[in-house]
Amino acid sequence: MSSKIPVGILAATGSVGQRFIQHLVGHPWFEITALTGSERTAGRPYGEGVNWLLPGDPPAAVAEMIVQPTEPNLAPRVLFSALPTAQARELEPKFAQAGYIVLTNASPFRMDPCVPLLIPEVNPDHTALIPRQKEAYGWDGWIVANANCSTTSIVLPLQILHQTFGIETAVVTTLQAISGAGYPGVPSLDIIDNIVPYIGGEDGKLETEPRKLCGTYQDGEIEMAPFKVSAQANRVPVIDGHLGSVSVKLSQSASAEEVIELFKTWQPPEIIRNLPTMPESVFIYRPEANRPQPRLDRDAGNGLAWTVGGVRNCKVNDIRFLSITHNTLRGAASGSVLNAELLVKQGFIKR
């Protein structure tokens, strides 16, 4: 018998589901014991039904595993959800009600006042919402949400600045990879030789999610961070890696040199430093004038690190900077696995 925690992946055949498999096969704490998929793939071996998008072939550990319907009768009680938005809105509460722990990448419950919107480097204490969630909704299980992949790309440097100097406003422009649209993604004739200055719902997520993530937990509630965000999301012809260009007005004045030193010396919270997925360096400052770049920096820290550069004084606000993360790893599957590791460390998921 394995001593690892059995886990399942909802919508395991999609692009994010495949990233979950890539990250969880061989994980020291978790073992995949259930995969779900659509009517097309349910009842078939995973390796036969999946359109595998990553290098090589589906891992042998899951290739012969039979894909199951996405219904709350799965054996593992911990589930990583790569469900599309509409299905997540309908199905994830049913799983939580039936006693499952759902770590979701979908958006419907991110701003729910009872659901932790979690990035362990930013707000590990927000998991304290879980008991309130179970009580409020009468669930035996619970939901924890990942942030949107574009929010993820810029929120850690925002939180570092907010905790040190305070932030009054932030103006954000994102240059987002086509993989963020899922498979098959953006039509080639729309994106080649082009930039699409609209991603449905993305501006609103960038303007609200950072305020919850950087908010303060107190007495069973999250007090939203008081700063305001103005955002413009753009789709660009890059496969992976969301790059954010950010200008912030600080509550206390700080020079670019002070911010650079802050970024270079920042350390993640003690509780997450020894988690299995944590890279040696999770927040990287690049001094080069032309960094960060998607192709050069998205895979830093096995795709889990933030890479920040271009810190300068801003003539309109106070400080401007660039920040990038890998959108389907840190911004999706790998980030969710790190959430689960934190929840094990905190005792919410039992080993």
Short mmCIF file of all heavy atoms in Angstrom, two decimals, residues 42 63 101 128 150 213 225 282 294 297 325:
data_model
loop_
_atom_site.label_atom_id
_atom_site.label_comp_id
_atom_site.label_asym_id
_atom_site.label_seq_id
_atom_site.Cartn_x
_atom_site.Cartn_y
_atom_site.Cartn_z
N ALA A 42 -14.41 9.12 -21.39
CA ALA A 42 -14.79 8.29 -20.25
C ALA A 42 -14.95 6.84 -20.69
O ALA A 42 -15.52 6.54 -21.73
CB ALA A 42 -16.08 8.80 -19.62
N ALA A 63 -1.20 6.00 -18.26
CA ALA A 63 -1.62 5.71 -19.64
C ALA A 63 -2.71 4.65 -19.70
O ALA A 63 -3.62 4.74 -20.55
CB ALA A 63 -0.41 5.27 -20.47
N ILE A 101 -12.27 17.51 -1.21
CA ILE A 101 -11.43 18.70 -1.21
C ILE A 101 -11.12 19.02 -2.66
O ILE A 101 -10.51 18.21 -3.37
CB ILE A 101 -10.14 18.46 -0.42
CG1 ILE A 101 -10.48 18.20 1.06
CG2 ILE A 101 -9.18 19.64 -0.56
CD1 ILE A 101 -9.31 17.67 1.86
N ALA A 128 -7.44 29.99 6.49
CA ALA A 128 -8.30 30.03 7.68
C ALA A 128 -9.77 30.22 7.33
O ALA A 128 -10.64 30.03 8.19
CB ALA A 128 -7.84 31.14 8.63
N SER A 150 -3.12 35.51 -15.23
CA SER A 150 -2.58 36.86 -15.42
C SER A 150 -2.42 37.58 -14.09
O SER A 150 -1.42 38.29 -13.87
CB SER A 150 -3.48 37.67 -16.36
OG SER A 150 -4.79 37.80 -15.85
N LEU A 213 -6.29 38.81 -2.82
CA LEU A 213 -5.04 38.13 -2.50
C LEU A 213 -4.19 38.92 -1.51
O LEU A 213 -3.57 38.35 -0.61
CB LEU A 213 -4.25 37.86 -3.78
CG LEU A 213 -4.77 36.75 -4.67
CD1 LEU A 213 -4.30 36.95 -6.10
CD2 LEU A 213 -4.33 35.39 -4.14
N ALA A 225 -7.64 44.49 0.13
CA ALA A 225 -6.60 45.52 0.12
C ALA A 225 -7.19 46.82 -0.43
O ALA A 225 -7.99 46.81 -1.36
CB ALA A 225 -5.42 45.07 -0.73
N VAL A 282 12.30 31.44 -5.75
CA VAL A 282 10.94 31.58 -6.28
C VAL A 282 10.65 33.01 -6.74
O VAL A 282 9.67 33.25 -7.44
CB VAL A 282 9.91 31.14 -5.22
CG1 VAL A 282 9.74 32.18 -4.11
CG2 VAL A 282 8.57 30.81 -5.87
N PRO A 294 9.59 36.20 -22.04
CA PRO A 294 8.92 34.90 -21.94
C PRO A 294 9.83 33.72 -22.26
O PRO A 294 9.92 32.77 -21.48
CB PRO A 294 7.77 35.02 -22.94
CG PRO A 294 7.46 36.47 -22.98
CD PRO A 294 8.79 37.16 -22.83
N ASP A 297 12.68 33.39 -19.48
CA ASP A 297 12.41 33.43 -18.05
C ASP A 297 11.18 32.65 -17.58
O ASP A 297 11.02 32.47 -16.37
CB ASP A 297 12.29 34.90 -17.59
CG ASP A 297 13.59 35.67 -17.80
OD1 ASP A 297 14.61 35.23 -17.26
OD2 ASP A 297 13.57 36.68 -18.51
N THR A 325 5.41 35.13 -15.17
CA THR A 325 5.33 33.75 -14.69
C THR A 325 4.87 32.87 -15.83
O THR A 325 4.34 33.34 -16.84
CB THR A 325 4.33 33.59 -13.52
OG1 THR A 325 3.05 34.09 -13.92
CG2 THR A 325 4.81 34.30 -12.28
#
